[in-house]
Amino acid sequence: MSVEILEQHLSFGGTQFKYKHHSAILKSDMTFSLFLPENKDGAGIPLVWFLSGLTCTDDNFTHKSGFQHIANKNNVAVIAPDTSPRGEACANAEAYDLGQGAGFYLNATQSPWDEQFKMYDYITKELTEVVKPLVPNFNGKEAIMGHSMGGHGALVIGMKNPGRFASISAFSPILSPSEVPWGQKAFTAYLGEDKEAWKAWDSTELVKGDDVPPMLIMQGTGDNFYPGQLPENFFLDASAPHGDKVMYQQKAGYDHSYYFIATFMEDHFNFHMKHL
Amino acid sequence: MSVEILEQHLSFGGTQFKYKHHSAILKSDMTFSLFLPENKDGAGIPLVWFLSGLTCTDDNFTHKSGFQHIANKNNVAVIAPDTSPRGEACANAEAYDLGQGAGFYLNATQSPWDEQFKMYDYITKELTEVVKPLVPNFNGKEAIMGHSMGGHGALVIGMKNPGRFASISAFSPILSPSEVPWGQKAFTAYLGEDKEAWKAWDSTELVKGDDVPPMLIMQGTGDNFYPGQLPENFFLDASAPHGDKVMYQQKAGYDHSYYFIATFMEDHFNFHMKHL
């Protein structure tokens, strides 16, 4: 599990790293970014995951969200994975919403995607083991957040591992993939026509479980993809029994961009810090 | 002087615009970005210019510096111009440090550059007239800042217009272009072999003037281009008579990237606000 440092930058007293490693699960060279806070006092530090949206790599969040000063202030490490396996030999589609850059954080079962598209196992198992030794004084506590496709990923991964992630947050997530074009296209390709198989990867099904982590979900009302790809009604109906544990907030006029994410990043960190 | 809105995003309560217009001076379609604070109380607001470095467009600063929350908090409008004329018909060089993306904020006198490379006139005259009507409640006060080549630009434009810009700041600026490879290459191409003609565009010459605006200059010691392209000794020797009016600060370990800029952006705004 050797990792190579591609970049290293001082940022707000902490350090922003970009790493490369070979993933055995994805059969692909992968990059990921990791921010370590300055942690002057050598305290135990938690790890927050950020999962990005369609077309992104780990760079979008790292370059554009401005999270570093907030993470350093809160003494939190933050990891941003890439969004799919990569490479010329890896399966792909011409569309921006399928294949490379669009892994949907699940384990594909359908050919040709089942060969490499195992982002769920990659993140929850392999990358977890890769990143832990890179976080000095890791205190074992984790939270997870994401944007759009990555908001879907954060909710799914968080709810499938309730003992592991203390809290979940999402910006403009695909809350009900089985009900919208992005999700239907990806799930059909990766999981097949049988909609029963989709339920294990659909937040709106998972939130019907007895126990879920606390969740903060934000949606801008000026988002081009809202409500089309991002309706909230199915999820909110399903999550109603959890009461205040699921917070859904609309932000008037904000769009789908990193300007929205940057604006409310501190609110998301403040939410997670209450649970970490 | 018609302008077209290419993008418009809510950001920290304010609005980040990206515009396109045709520049008569540059004979080129140009983009620029403008942030307007929320300005709930309708107060008069100043305008801060940010000039970017080699290879940049107006997007780099707008996407990566995280300035928006600081500008909104201080109730300041911020404009980021592009770094040169653009287009297939426009003169160019294969190198990253000459031609398109490398206008050096001067008025070229040598062929073929003298046809379009008039970034000094563009910024101080034409773009000024374009942007003023776009800033509601503009109070007439301006400051200027920049990075690397744009740090050189901010210092030169600021010092050539001391009554106009209340203060100047720069991240890792080319302080002595006549002494370093980047500046010598650009000045030779744009201004010719006669080094007398370079003096009007060299901060280290301009700072010898009797009156200069207050200046804050920051340089990271982990910068790959320091001291090679960015030595401070010539400039500091020349500016010594101005005493504390010229502040030069080194930041241990910081590099040439936007991570450095983002980290100290608030310090730069705090500096300008004392003078605006």
Side-chain angles (χ1 to χ4, degrees), chain B residues 37 45-46 68-77 266 269-270 273:
Chain B
I45 60 178
Q68 288 92 351
H69 80 278
I70 303 166
N72 196 64
K73 190 165 60 177
N74 286 299
N75 212 33
V76 183
E266 186 148 25
F269 270 88
N270 289 343
M273 293 314 293

Side-chain angles (χ1 to χ4, degrees), chain A residues 7-14 16 62-64 68-69 252-255 257 259-260 262-263, chain B residues 7-14 16 62-64 68-69 252-255 257 259-260 262-263:
Chain A
E7 293 181 35
Q8 179 173 353
H9 308 274
L10 269 187
S11 174
F12 291 95
Q16 181 65 59
T62 307
H63 291 177
K64 293 183 172 182
Q68 288 92 350
H69 80 279
Y254 282 87
D255 62 24
S257 71
Y259 294 109
F260 170 51
T263 299
Chain B
E7 293 182 37
Q8 179 173 353
H9 308 275
L10 270 187
S11 175
F12 291 95
Q16 181 64 60
T62 307
H63 292 178
K64 293 184 172 182
Q68 288 92 351
H69 80 278
Y254 281 87
D255 62 24
S257 71
Y259 294 108
F260 170 50
T263 300

Side-chain angles (χ1 to χ4, degrees), chain A residues 15-75:
Chain A
T15 306
Q16 181 65 59
F17 293 92
K18 184 179 174 81
Y19 288 102
K20 180 180 175 180
H21 76 127
H22 183 78
S23 164
I25 287 177
L26 300 178
K27 301 170 188 166
S28 169
D29 286 342
M30 297 294 290
T31 61
F32 64 93
S33 290
L34 176 67
F35 177 79
L36 295 181
E38 187 173 12
N39 194 23
K40 276 185 187 166
D41 304 328
I45 60 177
L47 176 64
V48 172
W49 294 72
F50 186 94
L51 306 184
S52 293
L54 289 165
T55 76
C56 290
T57 68
D58 50 310
D59 285 341
N60 302 67
F61 171 71
T62 307
H63 291 177
K64 293 183 172 182
S65 74
F67 79 89
Q68 288 92 350
H69 80 279
I70 304 165
N72 196 63
K73 192 166 60 178
N74 287 298
N75 213 33

